């Protein structure tokens, strides 16, 4: 297994390089003089010239890429001009908040989605199946940002169950329960679409598995139906559900951008949007590369989980 | 195409989705013609007017602009952006996919590597990076959303193209000297176009949502022009005081996306042939029973099947797989059921413990008495406690019938623990003993193997060991040796035979192989088209078959050293069991058929002591009675 993990890690290197190339090329599309774009139109000519030198903008595309890559390898993602601090510091500060939000949502949508899919398949065409199918359709059709706004109206403004927005209260303690109170609504709003998608795919994966011969074998052994469904069938269905979870993690991370805007959550998504509006190019560039790299690592974890679950995969 | 539309129309939800989309698109198209207020004229004194107030049906927004008018123009813009993004993404992506798939080799490799890289991003990061580089704005957001979806099309279309590019007709035109560009345009493109169109129709809803999302973030359409997303984004600051300004555009996005999803689901169902056949329905824990009357046991044997009828109901057709079967098995006896594929022998066997997949299977008549009680229609819990404990099954293909992800030891232990409260370690040592009893060498180590790590013969031994786990009274073996080669088959048979003698097991052995029947079974029943056509002691039936079908079946068996004899295949096919002929089902293939054979039911009549035949003109009756 260790060998397999190492192999997957090594295979991630070209992907990470590819990601850096793509981000670099996109940023090279910036029309006009990048240094002016980065520093804004009020920059002094000296500053522009200095930045041009620092970024190697006076050189060709290829050397520029390697300068940038070399800097990143040393942890230097450049400096945010709007915030006047190193990009990596800002990204790391914000990343924790996103991780809490997206991580909670991911756990929520995985558990709820799989459970709903299994129940739906086991009760195919029954009341539970129809009810779940309908709720799922509604869930995958509602834009998460609109859902978030409606939740604020209902649960924060009308019912006053949860705070309207933010991660921490302006005054007062910062403990786990306070965080949970603030986290509940954004985490649920963010997980709804992914829950629906996972539920649908889990349902069809379960239906596929329940028709297999080994399910009949389990029943012929006299195994309880609940065990047939939740152990025999689900275990086999997980083989096709796990990759879906990996893909959905990317969607949860993407959706976090909207949810962070709606709920004023201090995460990287909101940071990126603010940075784009302020034309803080280096912050965008660094943030995108950093999160994409994290996502690649997460997918390696998904692959490892898959290998642990399915002994037929050659490790 | 018409059939497809009909199928779609039958799906009411899909139809509703289609109607909703038609209405929205129609309204968006005629928006410039409607007598609406100018969407961009501000009127601050009349800001935040509530819906249904005079002069503004849906109220006004934070600058006093008419919400209805803005909603209509915004919908128009959102739809246009979504469709445009879909077209751009489909065109670029398909072009890339076709080039990669058509040329293959190095080109394919490099392109697909790039596509994989793009797919390694959470999609929004890529879109944000593009918008960051190009700057916020309607066209840039549109381009970003399209670019993010290019890999999806590239990958799908490449797959289809690879399939098409190696078809004979493409090879033919290539040999005829057609240029690559011409082949792509004239031969490949028409073949992949339907897939492109389907891909576009399934992603357009998604694109509408994404462009609206970027606008919501303030990165898409810029004021005063507004699509649904930026309307929602602008309304966000007044969410708490004037929620209607948020609800109006948000509800519209919901309606559009829901309509597209409903339609998309309907299209998917209509295109997926598996759903049509009903094959995607899962079997219930026990076969459905729909009996009009029960039948009394005919003997007091351990297992007595009387008048069993099982059918498959697929749509409005009824396949009578088992049409009234009577069988009985004594303790310590082995009864063989023999017949061609589709004769109903497996369904008979599975009906005993309610294991026929249902839907579509239904037991419609007869009874199965086990140890004196009728178990057809028994409560599920009763059935479950009998399964594996007193009546155990061995199935045909052990690779498919063992759970692929559990160790065989765990599957054996589960079989034991299902019916007995016993510690895991005790169950484990019992499992090792079971593996030894089916002559698996090195059982202590083998118990931790997964099914895929074993040979076919070894797996089948595991299947037998699992059936023996609770020392059952009856074993129903459904073609257990069919998938195995001859030497392994002989070993398995001898294992079963020894167990029968040692434990006094009753075995119901289903096979299509007379050789196997001869080795193992005391009695044999021959099945044809869901009915028993002949039954009797194995030796007598094999030596003097009375039903013409039995004798023809025996003639089909090649014998070693019998090279001179001509193998006689039976002409024709068994009848389809949803249209059984009146009279004898074998009549069409029988060379001794008479007029009488084709009318009225024919009974399974006793022709000699312990022998029965369902034939008006049985063969070999003299020899049998002599």
């Amino acid at each position: 297994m260790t060998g397999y993990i190492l192999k997957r890690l090594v295979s991630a290197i070209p992907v990470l390089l590819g990601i850096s190339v793509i981000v670099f090329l996109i940023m090279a599309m910036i029309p006009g003089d990048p240094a002016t774009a980065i520093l804004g139109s009020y920059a002094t000519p000296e500053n522009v010239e200095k930045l041009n030198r620092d970024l190697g903008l006076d050189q060709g595309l290829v050397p520029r890429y390697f300068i940038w890559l070399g800097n990143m390898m040393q942890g230097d993602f450049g400096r945010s001009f709007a915030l006047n601090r190193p990009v990596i510091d800002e990204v790391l500060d914000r990343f924790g908040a996103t991780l809490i939000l997206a991580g909670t949502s991911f756990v929520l949508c995985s558990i709820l989605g799989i459970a709903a899919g299994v129940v739906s398949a086991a009760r195919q065409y029954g009341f539970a199946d129809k009810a779940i199918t309908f709720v799922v359709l509604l869930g995958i059709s509602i834009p998460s940002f609109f859902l978030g706004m409606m939740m604020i109206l209902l649960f924060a403004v009308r019912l006053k169950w949860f705070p309207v927005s933010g991660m921490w209260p302006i005054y007062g303690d910062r403990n786990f329960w306070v965080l949970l109170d603030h986290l509940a609504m954004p985490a649920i709003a963010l997980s709804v679409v992914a829950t629906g998608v996972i539920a649908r795919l889990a349902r069809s994966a379960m239906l596929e598995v329940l028709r297999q011969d080994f399910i009949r074998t389990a029943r012929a052994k006299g195994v309880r139906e609940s065990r047939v469904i939740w152990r025999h069938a689900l275990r086999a269905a997980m083989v096709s559900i796990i990759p879906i979870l990996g893909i959905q993690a990317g969607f949860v991370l993407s959706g976090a951008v909207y949810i962070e805007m709606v709920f004023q959550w201090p995460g990287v998504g909101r940071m990126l949007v603010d940075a784009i509006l302020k034309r803080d190019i280096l912050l965008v560039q660094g943030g995108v590369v950093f999160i994409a790299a994290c996502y690649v690592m997460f997918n390696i974890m998904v692959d490892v989980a898959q290998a642990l679950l399915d002994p037929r995969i050659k490790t | 195409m018409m059939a497809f539309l009909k199928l779609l129309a039958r799906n009411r939800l899909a139809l509703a989705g289609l109607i909703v989309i038609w209405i929205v698109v129609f309204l968006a198209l005629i928006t410039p013609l409607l007598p609406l207020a100018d969407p961009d004229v501000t009127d601050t004194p009349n800001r935040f007017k509530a819906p249904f107030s005079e002069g503004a049906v849906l109220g006004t927004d934070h600058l006093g602009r008419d919400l209805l008018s803005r909603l209509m123009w915004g919908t128009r813009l959102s739809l246009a952006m979504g469709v445009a993004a879909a077209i751009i993404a489909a065109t670029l992506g398909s072009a890339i996919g076709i080039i990669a798939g058509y040329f293959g080799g190095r080109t394919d490799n490099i392109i697909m590597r790039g596509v994989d890289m793009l797919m390694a991003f959470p999609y929004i990061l890529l879109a944000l990076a593009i918008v960051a580089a190009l700057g916020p704005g309607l066209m840039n957001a549109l381009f970003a959303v399209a670019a993010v979806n290019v890999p999806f099309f590239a990958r799908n279309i490449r797959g289809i193209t690879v399939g098409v590019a190696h078809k004979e007709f493409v090879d033919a035109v290539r040999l005829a000297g057609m240029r690559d560009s011409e082949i792509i345009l004239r031969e490949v493109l028409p073949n992949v176009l339907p897939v492109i169109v389907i891909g576009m129709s399934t992603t357009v809803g998604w694109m509408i949502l994404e462009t609206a999302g970027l606008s919501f973030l303030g990165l898409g359409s810029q004021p005063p022009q507004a699509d649904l997303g930026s309307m929602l984004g602008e309304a966000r600051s007044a969410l708490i005081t004037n929620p209607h300004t948020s609800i109006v555009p948000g509800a519209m996005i919901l309606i559009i996306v829901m309509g597209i999803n409903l339609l998309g689901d309907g299209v998917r169902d209509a295109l997926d042939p598996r759903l049509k056949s009903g094959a995607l329905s899962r079997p219930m824990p026990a076969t459905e029973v729909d009996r009009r009357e029960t039948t009394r046991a005919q003997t007091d044997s351990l297992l007595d099947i009387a008048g069993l009828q099982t059918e498959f109901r697929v749509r409005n057709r009824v396949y009578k797989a088992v049409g009234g079967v009577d069988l009985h098995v004594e303790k310590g006896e082995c009864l063989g059921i023999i017949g061609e594929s589709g004769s109903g022998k497996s369904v008979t066997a599975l009906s005993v413990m309610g294991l026929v997949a249902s839907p579509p299977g239904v037991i419609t008549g007869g009874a199965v008495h086990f140890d004196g009680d009728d178990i057809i229609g028994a409560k599920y819990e009763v059935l479950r406690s009998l399964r594996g404990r007193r009546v155990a099954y061995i199935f045909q293909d052990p690779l498919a019938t063992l759970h692929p992800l559990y160790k065989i030891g765990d599957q054996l232990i589960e079989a034991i623990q299902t019916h007995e409260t016993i510690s895991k370690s005790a169950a484990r040592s019992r499992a090792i003993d079971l593996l030894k009893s089916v002559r698996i060498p090195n059982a202590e180590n083998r118990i931790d193997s997964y099914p895929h790590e074993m040979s076919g013969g070894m797996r089948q031994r595991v299947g037998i060991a699992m059936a023996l786990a609770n020392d059952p009274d009856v074993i129903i073996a459904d073609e257990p040796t069919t998938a195995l080669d001859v030497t392994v088959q002989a070993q398995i048979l001898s294992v079963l035979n020894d167990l029968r003698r040692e434990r006094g097991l009753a075995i119901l052995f289903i096979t299509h192989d007379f050789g196997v029947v001869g080795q193992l079974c005391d009695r044999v029943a021959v099945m044809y088209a869901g009915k028993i056509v002949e039954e009797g002691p194995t030796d007598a039936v094999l030596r003097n078959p009375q039903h013409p079908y039995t004798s023809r079946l025996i003639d089909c068996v090649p014998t070693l050293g019998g090279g001179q004899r001509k193998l006689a295949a039976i002409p024709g096919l068994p009848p389809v069991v949803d249209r059984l002929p009146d009279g004898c089902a074998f009549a069409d293939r029988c060379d001794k058929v008479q007029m009488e054979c084709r009318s009225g039911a024919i009974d399974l009549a006793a022709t000699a002591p312990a022998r029965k035949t369902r034939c008006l003109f049985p063969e070999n009756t003299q020899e049998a009675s002599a």
Side-chain angles (χ1 to χ4, degrees), chain B residues 561-583:
Chain B
Q564 300 301 316
R565 203 191 61 173
K566 201 174 160 212
L567 282 182
I570 307 176
L573 291 167
V576 186
V577 286
D578 68 329
R579 274 175 307 216
L580 283 178
D582 203 20

Side-chain angles (χ1 to χ4, degrees), chain A residues 14 26 122 124 137 141 200 208 211 214 216-217 219-222 224 227 232 251 254 258 261 279 295 310, chain B residues 120 123 132-133 236 261 265 274 279 281-284 384 387-388 395 400-401 403 405 411 414 418-419:
Chain A
I26 290 174
Q124 192 189 16
L137 178 72
S141 299
R200 277 193 161 188
E208 197 71 44
R211 289 161 44 222
F214 59 82
R216 188 182 62 195
T217 306
R219 285 172 170 165
K221 279 155 80 175
R224 262 170 225 292
R227 193 178 160 93
H232 289 252
F251 282 83
S254 296
Y258 301 119
M261 290 300 281
R279 312 289 295 137
Y295 182 59
D310 189 348
Chain B
Y123 72 93
R236 196 161 58 87
N261 281 339
D265 290 354
R274 285 181 309 174
S281 57
R282 60 90 187 76
M284 294 191 298
R384 191 183 72 75
R387 285 176 180 177
F395 297 107
T401 53
H403 197 295
L405 305 179
Q411 301 190 46
E414 182 187 41
T418 297
H419 296 292

Side-chain angles (χ1 to χ4, degrees), chain A residues 14-20 22-23 26-31 121-125 134 137-138 140-143 145-146 148-150 152-153 157 164 200 204 206-208 210-228 230-233 235-237 239 250-251 253-255 257-258 261-264 269 272-273 276-277 279 281 284 287-289 291-292 295-296 299 309-312 314, chain B residues 13 114 116-126 128-136 143 206 209-210 212-214 216-219 229 232 235-236 239-240 243 246-251 253-254 257-258 261-262 265 268 274-275 279-286 350 355 359 380-381 384-385 387-389 391-393 395-397 400-406 410-412 414-415 418-419 450 452-453 466 470 478:
Chain A
V15 180
L16 291 173
L17 284 175
I19 283 175
S20 70
I22 290 169
V23 174
I26 290 174
M27 291 307 162
M29 291 193 306
I30 297 176
R123 301 252 181 278
Q124 192 189 16
Y125 304 135
F134 177 74
L137 178 72
L138 205 65
I140 59 175
S141 299
I142 192 163
F145 41 92
F146 181 54
M149 288 163 73
M150 292 302 107
I152 290 176
L153 271 184
V157 177
V164 171
R200 277 193 161 188
S204 62
M206 282 293 288
L207 287 179
E208 197 71 44
L210 281 169
R211 289 161 44 222
Q212 305 280 324
D213 286 347
F214 59 82
I215 294 300
R216 188 182 62 195
T217 306
R219 285 172 170 165
K221 279 155 80 175
V223 174
R224 262 170 225 292
E225 188 59 16
S226 56
R227 193 178 160 93
V228 170
W230 291 98
R231 289 283 188 88
H232 289 252
R235 174 75 192 266
V239 170
F251 282 83
L253 206 52
S254 296
V257 175
Y258 301 119
M261 290 300 281
V262 172
F263 289 92
Q264 304 288 313
L272 285 177
V273 176
I276 293 172
L277 293 172
R279 312 289 295 137
I281 302 295
V284 178
V288 168
V289 171
I291 300 172
Y295 182 59
V296 169
N299 271 319
L309 200 77
D310 189 348
R312 291 167 301 182
K314 292 265 181 296
Chain B
L13 286 174
D116 285 345
M117 300 289 174
L118 286 174
M119 288 189 129
F121 282 90
Y123 72 93
I124 203 168
L125 281 186
L126 209 52
L128 288 181
I130 294 171
V131 174
L134 300 178
F143 178 67
W206 173 246
L209 203 54
E210 283 319 296
L214 285 181
F216 172 79
L217 296 175
L219 306 176
L232 197 56
R236 196 161 58 87
L239 171 67
I240 293 170
S246 302
I247 293 173
V248 166
I253 301 180
L254 177 62
V257 177
M258 186 113 142
N261 281 339
L262 280 173
D265 290 354
R268 197 194 53 200
R274 285 181 309 174
L275 288 168
L280 259 188
S281 57
R282 60 90 187 76
M284 294 191 298
L350 292 172
L355 289 170
Y380 168 69
E381 269 306 312
R384 191 183 72 75
S385 80
R387 285 176 180 177
R389 187 171 63 92
V391 180
Y393 279 84
F395 297 107
Q396 180 179 340
D397 172 12
T401 53
L402 291 174
H403 197 295
L405 305 179
Y406 288 118
D410 292 338
Q411 301 190 46
L412 282 166
E414 182 187 41
T418 297
H419 296 292
Y450 288 97
H452 70 274
E453 296 168 341
M466 204 146 77
N470 296 289
D478 187 1

Side-chain angles (χ1 to χ4, degrees), chain A residues 54 127 129 165 221:
Chain A
D54 288 351
F127 174 75
D129 184 29
S165 64
K221 279 155 80 175

Side-chain angles (χ1 to χ4, degrees), chain B residues 390-441:
Chain B
R390 301 201 63 189
V391 180
Y393 279 84
I394 305 169
F395 297 107
Q396 180 179 340
D397 172 12
L399 186 59
T401 53
L402 291 174
H403 197 295
L405 305 179
Y406 288 118
K407 290 173 183 165
I408 57 151
D410 292 338
Q411 301 190 46
L412 282 166
I413 290 168
E414 182 187 41
I416 297 167
Q417 286 186 323
T418 297
H419 296 292
E420 203 177 327
T421 319
I422 179 176
S423 76
K424 180 136 191 205
S425 59
R428 188 181 162 89
S429 63
R430 275 255 298 272
I432 293 174
D433 291 343
L434 282 168
L435 290 178
K436 283 179 182 159
S437 74
V438 291
R439 299 183 214 147
I440 289 185

Side-chain angles (χ1 to χ4, degrees), chain B residues 6-273:
Chain B
K6 262 186 210 153
L7 210 61
L8 198 60
R10 205 178 300 145
N11 187 335
R12 262 177 297 157
L13 286 174
L15 195 63
L18 190 64
I19 291 170
V20 167
I21 293 166
W22 267 343
I23 293 174
V24 172
V25 169
F26 176 73
L27 287 176
L29 286 176
I30 61 161
T31 297
L33 307 175
L34 296 177
L36 292 166
D38 187 318
D40 297 334
V41 168
T42 58
D43 179 17
T44 14
N46 284 319
R47 64 204 290 253
F48 291 132
K49 269 170 86 174
F52 308 113
S53 51
E54 207 191 322
V57 179
L58 291 177
T60 56
D61 71 356
H62 60 291
L63 296 174
R65 296 174 293 196
D66 182 50
L67 263 183
L68 176 65
S69 171
R70 286 182 72 72
L71 179 72
M72 299 304 297
W73 285 96
T75 304
R76 196 175 148 86
L77 186 58
S78 276
L79 287 179
M81 282 185 43
V83 172
I87 290 173
I88 296 172
T91 311
L92 282 177
S94 305
I96 293 171
I98 288 175
I99 289 171
Y102 180 80
F103 290 104
R106 185 86 96 33
T107 323
D108 183 30
N109 222 331
I110 293 173
I111 292 180
M112 290 324 286
R113 276 289 163 82
V115 166
D116 285 345
M117 300 289 174
L118 286 174
M119 288 189 129
F121 282 90
Y123 72 93
I124 203 168
L125 281 186
L126 209 52
L128 288 181
I130 294 171
V131 174
L134 300 178
L138 187 67
M139 292 317 286
N140 293 344
L142 175 67
F143 178 67
V145 170
V148 168
N149 285 287
V150 163
F152 166 81
F153 282 98
R155 184 178 273 188
N156 284 353
I157 298 304
R158 174 195 168 268
I160 309 290
T161 309
V162 168
V164 174
H166 298 290
K167 287 263 168 66
E168 293 80 357
F169 65 88
V170 176
D171 288 337
V173 292
R174 191 177 294 137
L175 287 173
M178 205 188 255
R179 274 175 302 135
D180 283 335
S181 54
E182 243 178 310
I183 299 177
I184 287 177
L185 283 178
R186 294 200 3 213
E187 305 294 335
V188 178
L189 190 59
N191 278 292
V192 298
L193 204 56
V195 185
I196 300 176
V197 172
I198 291 169
M200 264 173 65
S201 62
T202 51
T203 47
V204 70
W206 173 246
M207 309 257 188
I208 291 172
L209 203 54
E210 283 319 296
T211 45
L214 285 181
S215 290
F216 172 79
L217 296 175
L219 306 176
S221 69
Q222 301 294 314
Q225 190 184 39
D227 68 352
L228 294 173
S230 53
M231 280 178 75
L232 197 56
E234 284 172 27
R236 196 161 58 87
S237 51
L239 171 67
I240 293 170
T241 49
N242 292 284
H244 72 273
T245 52
S246 302
I247 293 173
V248 166
M252 185 51 121
I253 301 180
L254 177 62
I255 288 169
I256 294 173
V257 177
M258 186 113 142
I260 290 175
N261 281 339
L262 280 173
L263 181 63
D265 290 354
V267 170
R268 197 194 53 200
D269 290 357
L271 289 176
D272 194 338

Side-chain angles (χ1 to χ4, degrees), chain B residues 229-556:
Chain B
S230 53
M231 280 178 75
L232 197 56
E234 284 172 27
R236 196 161 58 87
S237 51
L239 171 67
I240 293 170
T241 49
N242 292 284
H244 72 273
T245 52
S246 302
I247 293 173
V248 166
M252 185 51 121
I253 301 180
L254 177 62
I255 288 169
I256 294 173
V257 177
M258 186 113 142
I260 290 175
N261 281 339
L262 280 173
L263 181 63
D265 290 354
V267 170
R268 197 194 53 200
D269 290 357
L271 289 176
D272 194 338
R274 285 181 309 174
L275 288 168
K276 270 186 264 179
S277 64
L280 259 188
S281 57
R282 60 90 187 76
M284 294 191 298
T287 311
E288 194 187 332
V289 176
D290 179 14
R291 274 191 307 190
R292 279 165 290 278
E293 65 219 49
T294 59
T295 316
R296 294 174 58 188
Q298 307 203 319
T299 62
D300 50 4
S301 311
L302 183 61
L303 184 69
D304 178 279
I305 302 174
L308 180 72
Q309 292 181 309
T310 305
E311 56 190 43
F312 293 102
R313 295 174 178 170
V314 181
R315 296 240 158 154
N316 33 31
R317 299 180 90 168
V318 174
Y319 298 86
K320 292 193 167 125
V322 180
V325 162
D326 303 303
L327 286 172
H328 61 96
V329 194
E330 309 292 337
K331 198 171 184 327
E333 187 189 33
C334 178
L335 170 68
I337 303 181
I338 195 162
E340 290 169 89
S341 322
S343 60
K345 54 192 193 312
S346 286
V347 180
T348 304
L350 292 172
S351 297
V352 172
M353 281 287 124
L355 289 170
V356 177
S358 174
V362 186
I363 296 175
T364 52
V368 174
H369 286 85
F370 173 74
D371 213 4
D373 299 320
D374 186 7
I375 49 179
I376 298 293
K379 283 204 180 70
Y380 168 69
E381 269 306 312
V382 174
L383 212 52
R384 191 183 72 75
S385 80
L386 288 176
R387 285 176 180 177
R389 187 171 63 92
R390 301 201 63 189
V391 180
Y393 279 84
I394 305 169
F395 297 107
Q396 180 179 340
D397 172 12
L399 186 59
T401 53
L402 291 174
H403 197 295
L405 305 179
Y406 288 118
K407 290 173 183 165
I408 57 151
D410 292 338
Q411 301 190 46
L412 282 166
I413 290 168
E414 182 187 41
I416 297 167
Q417 286 186 323
T418 297
H419 296 292
E420 203 177 327
T421 319
I422 179 176
S423 76
K424 180 136 191 205
S425 59
R428 188 181 162 89
S429 63
R430 275 255 298 272
I432 293 174
D433 291 343
L434 282 168
L435 290 178
K436 283 179 182 159
S437 74
V438 291
R439 299 183 214 147
I440 289 185
N442 205 0
E444 287 83 356
N445 297 325
R446 275 314 208 168
I447 193 167
D448 289 321
S449 303
Y450 288 97
H452 70 274
E453 296 168 341
M454 307 182 102
S455 69
M458 283 297 148
R459 278 198 291 264
Q460 193 52 286
R461 283 165 206 249
V462 173
I464 296 173
M466 204 146 77
L468 293 172
N470 296 289
D471 220 347
D473 304 305
V474 179
I475 281 194
I476 298 176
D478 187 1
E479 307 211 29
T481 57
T482 304
L484 307 174
D485 63 53
V486 189
T487 49
V488 182
Q489 182 174 317
Q491 290 169 8
I492 297 282
L493 289 179
S494 90
V495 167
L496 273 175
N497 207 15
D498 292 352
L499 290 167
R500 169 166 73 114
R501 291 189 205 296
E502 287 162 20
R503 306 195 182 198
L505 273 170
I507 300 181
L508 195 61
F509 197 95
I510 289 104
T511 181
H512 58 248
D513 185 341
F514 270 109
V516 172
V517 170
Q519 280 180 57
L520 191 66
C521 301
D522 306 308
R523 284 188 301 125
V524 62
V526 182
M527 263 189 99
Y528 187 77
K531 288 198 167 79
I532 306 280
V533 293
E534 176 161 10
E535 193 198 317
T538 308
D539 286 345
V541 172
L542 289 185
R543 220 170 332 108
N544 299 312
Q546 292 183 335
H547 196 284
Y549 174 64
T550 316
S551 54
R552 298 302 296 265
L553 208 55
I554 293 172
D555 286 344
C556 292

